[in-house]
Amino acid sequence: MPQWLHLDDPNLWLVLAGTVLVGAASALVGVFAFLRRRALVGDAVAHSVLPGIALAFVVGQSRSLAVLLPGAFISGLLALWSIDAIARNSRIKPDAATGLVLSVFFGTGILLMTWIQRSQGAAQAGLDRFLFGQAAGILPTDLYLFAAVAAFLAVCIAIALKEFRLLSFDPEFARAIGMPFRSLEGLLAVLTVLAVVIGVQTVGVVLMAALLITPAAAARFWTDRLGTMLLLAAGIAAMGSMAGSMVSYAVPRQPTGPWIIVALSALALASMAFAPRRGWLAQRIRLAAYRRKIARENVLKAFWHAAEEQRPEVASVPGAGHPTSPVLSEAQLLERRAFVPRSLRRSMRKLARQGLLQAVQAQPDAVSAAGWQATPEGLRAGARLARIHRLWELYLTEKLRIAPDHVHDDAEAIEHLITPELEAELEAVLDHPERDPHGSAIPRPNGTGSRGKDRTEKPINPKAG
Amino acid sequence: MTTAIADPVLEVHDLTVTYRQKPALWDIDFGIPQGVLVGVVGPNGAGKSTLIKAIMDLVPTASGYANCFGQSLDEVRQRVSYVPQRESVDWDFPASALDVVLMGRYGKRGLFRRLSNRDRRVARECLRTVGLEAFADRQIAQLSGGQQQRVFLARALAQEADLYLMDEPFAGVDAATERTTLELLGELRDQGKTIVVVHHDLQTAAEYFDWIVLLNTRLVAYGPKAEVFTPELLQETYGGSLTLLANVSELARKQNLPVRE
């Protein structure tokens, strides 16, 4: 155990428990702000609690949270109501209304704080903490308040999960089935303001929006379920709050709030990068796999083109027999297409493992050199690509009226993308054509390859037979 | 052209809706009998979507009212189903197809009540009806546009209503969805339900619907399609612009004055 981590220090536990409760509570309501695209509204509410805190201080002449937080609550709610009222009753759009309310409330708050500082002197030192937060000042009584608010938020969301889900996804439908839309929206607003009110104490009004939104944004990368997303967001917020509190506790003179936000942002960035499926890395891997598939398919297509050139009379004519694959060396393949040699060798190894390509030894009669040959299945896969390529070219020229000399590059990309279902649709739309716009025969799905087990394609179109 | 309808399932009376003072619908009056499949047809900006939103009480009305089953909507919401336009929601929302269909049960279940096993059974049954039982747990963003539209349809079915109001269910869907939707609407009608569909395409409207409501800010005509689909009425709906009416609307909008006292 490192020297600096005094786990027996009760103050550390106070700060940890306090920031975790506040973080998790903010994350829960933040999920709905995030899903309803109200992130900036959260920011506006956070900034708008400041005048309430200052006025409560003037009226109550006390720095205790019991006096200041009700002021913050009323002021935050008033801000939300103002945004709504302005957007509803004037031509000012919601985004502008949000900005307007944020600056007016925040400006008023700063003005009041300055005035308090001038007239009341040192006593206002306690109000500064609401600007940037000061978790170290959490008292045991504050902790009870945080726990009560966090529990209240969690219970409300658990009870109204179904309603909040519909409210966030499809507000029109919610109203159409007679849900008390305004009341539910009001409840959600109250919960948001409550989370902000306990949050500003630890991270301050300036960073509060990050505490609301960042955990939700991070959680969204990991799940497609609302329930899971709520739990994950709360968990991520708890982790970030703990990490931030630890740093500020271990290193002298480091503020807690900003470190919590730094930790949360790191978690969000990590989610963005490494989450399965939605993450950046997963997408890169998917893209790389697709590129390798394209490379392999281009090899098979090259074998088909070679077979076609060798025996054009049997290549594409239904029932005329099956062309066999010529033996091609690596050099011959490179001549046919600008493969990257290293990726070509990798593609061929993989194709050989898949049983689509086989190595051929040099014949003693010296007629054919050593090289590679497509298996019947491999050749059929190549034929399918040539077929989609030519169908697509035909589709572009016939249906989209694109000039025949402009369609090749498009087809080169699309041939790897099209599914058997789309292939069948394409064929039907074009009424089972025989030739592409350049005059090349379009290979039939059953015109090539063996009658053996079909591994690379599904039955494509019964009419084509 | 107006026809008096005895015991209409849906009755719209003198309905006017304004948007930023500009009338989107002027004095709409019509009634729909039980068990017909109705298409609401008109050019862009004719107020077709606004009409069913006004019936569903989703936009404020300047005057008039809409009654369902002879009562105000609030008394019969359980019997009325609304299908919004597909583009009106964010399909990247964290929900599965089944989650969305289950929303059709929320109204029956009531506020803060948990969904029952019967709700889940009904929702799965509705997904099967629209041919999406295999997609129940699929995230909605991964569905095609047509499949998303069918999820909305399944949600409407899950409401087990008697009157259906649908906003553009045929817009931008694939052939399979169009067929499924059409069959489904026919079956609902044969069960005695009444369906009102906002539709953008004049060509297919004649083939899809029994009744037509021709709309262009005001009501041009309504009734059985044979009576309504006349060249004169279509010309009136789509052709000659109603310059005077448009000018009055524009005046109200520019000066920010109401068109109703």
Side-chain angles (χ1 to χ4, degrees):
Chain A
M1 173 101 23
Q3 195 63 48
W4 47 264
L5 206 60
H6 302 287
L7 284 181
D8 51 348
D9 182 348
N11 199 38
L12 171 66
W13 288 104
L14 265 183
V15 171
L16 272 183
T19 53
V20 164
L21 279 172
V22 165
S26 308
L28 286 180
V29 292
V31 164
F32 293 104
F34 174 80
L35 291 175
R36 300 173 72 211
R37 304 181 175 193
R38 300 279 171 89
L40 282 178
V41 175
D43 197 25
V45 172
H47 281 79
S48 302
V49 301
L50 208 56
I53 289 172
L55 281 177
F57 175 77
V58 172
V59 173
Q61 285 299 323
S62 161
R63 282 168 45 193
S64 82
L65 290 187
V67 170
L68 301 185
L69 294 194
F73 182 75
I74 293 168
S75 172
L77 219 50
L78 198 64
L80 262 184
W81 178 83
S82 310
I83 294 173
D84 200 43
I86 292 173
R88 199 179 291 271
N89 298 318
S90 76
R91 295 202 176 178
I92 298 173
K93 301 278 182 286
D95 62 327
T98 309
L100 208 65
V101 166
L102 185 152
S103 37
V104 168
F105 275 71
F106 188 57
T108 310
I110 295 288
L111 214 64
L112 284 169
M113 299 245 309
T114 315
W115 176 73
I116 290 169
Q117 189 171 30
R118 292 249 174 85
S119 61
Q120 316 229 348
Q124 76 86 36
L127 293 192
D128 258 359
R129 69 176 195 268
F130 290 102
L131 264 183
F132 299 107
Q134 193 192 53
I138 293 178
L139 302 170
T141 47
D142 298 345
L143 199 60
Y144 293 135
L145 179 72
F146 293 173
V149 170
F152 178 69
L153 291 184
V155 167
C156 281
I157 287 174
I159 290 175
L161 180 61
K162 166 169 138 283
E163 285 69 23
F164 287 162
R165 182 204 309 268
L166 182 52
L167 190 71
S168 308
F169 173 65
D170 193 347
E172 268 194 351
F173 188 77
R175 286 166 63 199
I177 63 172
M179 251 188 198
F181 181 79
R182 300 281 293 162
S183 311
L184 285 167
E185 217 177 22
L187 175 61
L188 200 51
V190 167
L191 298 184
T192 310
V193 176
L194 274 177
V196 167
V197 163
I198 62 166
V200 290
Q201 150 92 356
T202 50
V203 299
V205 298
V206 179
L207 292 176
M208 187 58 215
L211 201 59
L212 284 172
I213 300 305
T214 318
R220 185 66 188 90
F221 279 99
W222 299 91
T223 180
D224 282 333
R225 289 282 180 277
L226 181 59
T228 319
M229 185 178 165
L230 283 162
L231 295 177
L232 264 178
I236 288 169
M239 270 163 65
S241 301
M242 266 198 274
S245 304
M246 291 286 203
V247 170
S248 79
Y249 184 79
V251 186
R253 294 180 166 279
Q254 289 297 317
T256 312
W259 273 109
I260 290 176
I261 303 304
V262 167
L264 279 177
S265 308
L267 286 170
L269 280 177
S271 304
M272 207 185 285
F274 304 119
R277 218 167 53 71
R278 283 181 164 250
W280 172 83
L281 190 67
Q283 276 175 17
R284 294 301 299 210
I285 291 172
R286 233 183 354 259
L287 196 63
Y290 183 63
R291 291 231 169 89
R292 284 199 299 278
K293 176 186 157 233
I294 290 180
R296 287 197 300 276
E297 290 187 344
N298 281 336
V299 173
L300 292 176
K301 204 173 57 162
F303 275 98
W304 165 259
H305 282 316
E308 204 175 30
E309 282 161 26
Q310 212 172 40
R311 299 194 58 197
E313 72 285 2
V314 297
S316 313
V317 185
H322 313 305
T324 46
S325 165
V327 177
L328 295 176
S329 69
E330 206 179 297
Q332 283 170 309
L333 278 167
L334 285 169
E335 254 169 55
R336 293 191 153 267
R337 194 186 174 95
F339 289 109
V340 179
R342 221 164 63 93
S343 112
L344 173 63
R345 279 193 291 276
R346 189 172 55 197
S347 302
M348 296 210 294
R349 277 197 303 275
K350 176 87 190 247
L351 287 168
R353 277 201 301 280
Q354 290 175 325
L356 300 174
L357 220 58
Q358 60 198 21
V360 177
Q361 302 300 319
Q363 297 296 307
D365 60 10
V367 172
S368 54
W372 296 82
Q373 187 180 29
T375 63
E377 267 175 78
L379 204 60
R380 194 158 35 160
R384 173 173 182 260
L385 288 156
R387 173 180 144 74
I388 297 174
H389 183 109
R390 288 165 193 175
L391 283 172
W392 188 252
E393 286 189 338
L394 197 62
Y395 177 71
L396 290 184
T397 48
E398 274 199 359
K399 303 286 172 188
L400 272 60
R401 301 176 200 282
I402 295 174
D405 55 336
H406 285 190
V407 294
H408 175 77
D409 290 344
D410 199 310
E412 275 292 297
I414 297 300
E415 66 193 19
H416 305 288
L417 201 66
I418 283 196
T419 59
E421 292 78 38
L422 282 171
E423 184 186 338
E425 208 178 310
L426 197 54
E427 171 123 53
V429 164
L430 293 168
D431 199 17
H432 313 284
E434 305 242 310
R435 298 203 168 265
D436 79 1
H438 311 295
S440 305
I442 294 172
R444 286 297 168 87
N446 58 348
T448 62
S450 72
R451 297 181 186 282
K453 205 172 67 182
D454 190 332
R455 262 178 37 188
T456 51
E457 307 176 292
K458 290 175 186 161
I460 288 160
N461 192 334
K463 283 187 211 156
Chain B
M1 188 200 80
T2 43
T3 324
I5 308 290
D7 289 330
V9 165
L10 174 65
E11 186 199 357
V12 175
H13 181 79
D14 194 24
L15 188 75
T16 298
V17 177
T18 60
Y19 180 71
R20 298 227 176 282
Q21 320 301 346
K22 184 177 173 164
L25 292 171
W26 283 102
D27 301 320
I28 307 294
D29 251 311
F30 68 90
I32 301 290
Q34 196 208 332
V36 291
L37 180 48
V38 186
V40 178
V41 179
N44 280 337
K48 305 187 292 284
S49 294
T50 307
L51 174 62
I52 65 171
K53 279 183 186 167
I55 295 169
M56 287 313 291
D57 216 359
L58 296 173
V59 292
T61 52
S63 74
Y65 60 84
N67 274 349
C68 304
F69 309 104
Q71 283 164 297
S72 82
L73 179 66
D74 276 329
E75 288 164 68
V76 288
R77 269 187 204 276
Q78 293 292 324
R79 298 177 63 192
V80 184
S81 165
Y82 170 64
V83 180
Q85 281 183 26
R86 181 163 60 87
E87 291 81 12
S88 68
V89 303
D90 172 16
W91 289 92
D92 199 31
F93 192 85
S96 67
L98 186 65
D99 286 337
V100 175
V101 179
L102 278 169
M103 290 173 186
R105 305 296 297 172
Y106 286 11
K108 286 227 169 352
R109 206 40 59 209
L111 214 53
F112 308 136
R113 295 285 174 75
R114 294 196 153 273
L115 295 168
S116 68
N117 284 332
R118 189 180 117 73
D119 292 327
R120 269 170 249 283
R121 235 183 3 259
V122 171
R124 281 193 186 275
E125 191 54 48
C126 296
L127 268 175
R128 197 182 347 270
T129 311
V130 299
L132 289 179
E133 67 269 41
F135 296 84
D137 296 318
R138 193 72 72 88
Q139 208 269 323
I140 49 175
Q142 292 167 22
L143 301 172
S144 72
Q147 289 168 335
Q148 290 172 345
Q149 188 66 62
R150 278 188 270 164
V151 167
F152 263 6
L153 220 54
R155 180 174 73 175
L157 292 178
Q159 290 182 269
E160 297 175 327
D162 297 313
L163 170 63
Y164 289 82
L165 302 172
M166 304 188 179
D167 203 345
E168 297 273 12
F170 292 103
V173 301
D174 52 287
T177 300
E178 188 180 284
R179 210 165 40 239
T180 313
T181 308
L182 209 53
E183 277 168 20
L184 206 64
L185 297 187
E187 276 168 33
L188 287 173
R189 186 240 347 255
D190 296 343
Q191 289 164 22
K193 319 228 167 190
T194 311
I195 311 116
V196 179
V197 178
V198 168
H199 193 65
H200 62 288
D201 183 30
L202 195 57
Q203 310 298 320
T204 44
E207 164 193 344
Y208 289 175
F209 306 112
D210 315 328
W211 270 47
I212 297 287
V213 173
L214 278 179
L215 199 70
N216 190 356
T217 317
R218 72 210 164 89
L219 182 73
V220 177
Y222 73 100
K225 66 181 166 195
E227 294 170 28
V228 172
F229 260 124
T230 64
E232 299 78 42
L233 288 174
L234 288 177
Q235 169 66 22
E236 213 182 309
T237 312
Y238 283 85
S241 59
L242 296 158
T243 325
L244 183 64
L245 190 68
N247 286 348
V248 172
S249 305
E250 195 56 24
L251 186 70
R253 190 187 66 80
K254 274 196 184 134
Q255 305 197 351
N256 210 5
L257 298 172
V259 291
R260 283 288 177 281
E261 286 181 66

